[in-house]
Every structure is written in C-alpha cells, then in structure tokens.
Amino acid sequence: MAYVIKSDCICCGACAAECPVGAITEGDGIYVIDPDTCIGCGACAGTCPVGAPVEE
C-alpha cells in the first residue's frame, strides 16, 4: 500500500533521500509521494523526523 505525506511535513528532504524508487518529490510547501511509483516499503516513514509519511 502506498504512503502519503501529511501536512506535518517540514520539507527537510530526508524522506526523498531515503526513497529507493524515487517516488518522493518536493511539492508546494510539502513533499509528495507518487502513488504509482511508491512500493510501500516505509523507508520514508522510518527516516522522517516529524512522522509525516503515513500508510494510505
């Protein structure tokens, strides 16, 4: 199941750097995850300092 990034995102980029498939990009004020590319591994959630990525 794909992950999404909640509005708690602080745009630090930690999640994007950790994503093994490059599904995370900087959006308008928060990072966003492409649900078609996301493999649901949870690497983003494990590295985020504010817990913004959550399983959809």
Side-chain angles (χ1 to χ4, degrees), residues 13-37:
C15 60
E18 197 65 27
C19 182
V21 294
I24 304 172
T25 56
E26 190 172 0
D28 186 23
I30 64 170
Y31 275 72
V32 293
I33 299 174
D34 178 354
D36 295 328
T37 306

Side-chain angles (χ1 to χ4, degrees), residues 3-56:
Y3 277 70
V4 296
I5 298 180
K6 302 183 301 182
S7 61
D8 300 345
C9 176
I10 58 171
C11 288
C12 69
C15 60
E18 197 65 27
C19 182
V21 294
I24 304 172
T25 56
E26 190 172 0
D28 186 23
I30 64 170
Y31 275 72
V32 293
I33 299 174
D34 178 354
D36 295 328
T37 306
C38 178
I39 59 172
C41 69
C44 56
T47 194
C48 179
V50 296
V54 294
E55 206 166 9
E56 188 172 58

